[in-house]
């Protein structure tokens, strides 16, 4: 029988991890919005990205559209929230800002940020990066790497969201924040190449 009067601690409950798919770019070198590209596994790049986040256990899932939004929006049925970044042409920072602001309205402890143009990045990559953050707590900060080269997805805990928003600029996304803060780099080169599909030749 306890005599100290101290309560026995209980383990934290399951983490709530949101998924954020950035799909706003115009795909200038691709010849059109990447969200609308046909995916070899079926559907479009947009639909594939949403499936990856869902299969990874992310909930809620938010997608940010921009270029081609009227055509892409009907394809985003796998998302809980669809945000249109009307200033998408300013670069990745605009869509990340819109997405983080939308995710902030949820109860999520962390968010997985995934780009729409990573055709070989699957749920196994997302799950590995999340596992390196103890399941995605509010202090989480981690990113995938491929053969040592940093890439996506990136996991950002709620404690970091305000700081990321403060430094967003141009097409740099969360890069500057990650450079200034300790974070886990999770090697995933055995699971995927992690390369952006920027031109038709990349779809090979």
């Amino acid at each position: 029988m306890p005599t100290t009067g101290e309560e026995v601690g209980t383990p934290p409950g399951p983490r709530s991890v949101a998924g954020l798919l950035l799909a706003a770019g115009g795909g200038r070198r691709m010849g059109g919005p990447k969200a609308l590209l046909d995916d070899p596994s079926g559907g479009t790049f947009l639909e594939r990205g949403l499936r990856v986040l869902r299969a990874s256990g992310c909930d809620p899932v938010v997608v940010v559209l921009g270029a081609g939004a009227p055509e892409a929006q009907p394809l985003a049925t796998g998302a809980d929230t669809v945000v249109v970044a009307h200033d998408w042409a300013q670069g990745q920072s605009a869509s990340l800002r819109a997405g983080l602001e939308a995710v902030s309205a949820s109860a999520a402890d962390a968010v997985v940020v995934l780009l729409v143009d990573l055709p070989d990045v699957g749920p196994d990559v997302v799950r590995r990066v999340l596992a390196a953050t103890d399941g995605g707590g509010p202090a989480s900060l981690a990113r995938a790497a491929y053969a040592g080269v940093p890439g996506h997805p990136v996991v950002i805990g709620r404690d970091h969201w305000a700081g990321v928003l403060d430094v967003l600029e141009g097409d740099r996304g969360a890069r500057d924040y990650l450079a200034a803060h300790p974070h886990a780099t999770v090697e995933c080169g055995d699971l995927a190449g992690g390369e952006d599909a920027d031109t038709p030749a990349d779809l090979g």
Side-chain angles (χ1 to χ4, degrees):
M1 185 172 179
T3 59
T4 63
E6 294 178 359
E7 294 185 4
V8 177
T10 57
R15 304 294 193 189
S16 174
V17 180
L20 175 56
L21 183 65
L22 302 186
R28 179 178 53 83
R29 288 187 290 164
M30 187 65 75
K34 295 179 184 178
L36 302 175
L37 290 174
D38 290 333
D39 185 72
S41 65
T44 61
F45 271 30
L46 172 60
E47 292 166 302
R48 178 201 51 77
L50 293 173
R51 288 196 302 268
V52 168
L53 291 173
R54 283 289 184 205
S56 305
C58 295
D59 183 28
V61 172
V62 175
V63 61
V64 181
L65 304 177
E71 296 78 19
Q73 195 148 359
L75 304 174
T77 55
D80 296 292
T81 302
V82 178
V83 179
V84 177
H86 296 287
D87 55 349
W88 63 266
Q90 294 182 15
Q92 191 181 119
S93 64
S95 54
L96 181 54
R97 180 179 301 280
L100 278 181
E101 289 174 348
V103 171
S104 295
S106 76
D109 297 304
V111 62
V112 175
V113 181
L114 183 67
L115 306 184
V116 77
D117 60 353
L118 302 175
D120 72 342
V121 172
D124 50 352
V125 174
V126 178
R127 287 192 289 261
R128 179 179 289 182
V129 179
L130 277 172
T133 69
D134 192 27
S140 300
L141 197 61
R143 74 182 311 172
Y146 304 90
V149 179
H152 284 77
V154 174
V155 176
I156 307 173
R158 181 177 283 272
D159 293 351
H160 298 282
W161 294 353
V164 171
L165 288 169
D166 283 345
V167 300
L168 287 178
E169 184 178 2
D171 201 37
R172 298 177 67 83
R175 185 189 315 170
D176 291 344
Y177 189 86
L178 289 165
H181 293 80
H183 61 277
T185 300
V186 186
E187 179 55 50
C188 298
D190 59 317
L191 301 177
E195 296 178 355
D196 300 354
D198 286 331
T199 69
D202 296 332
L203 301 177

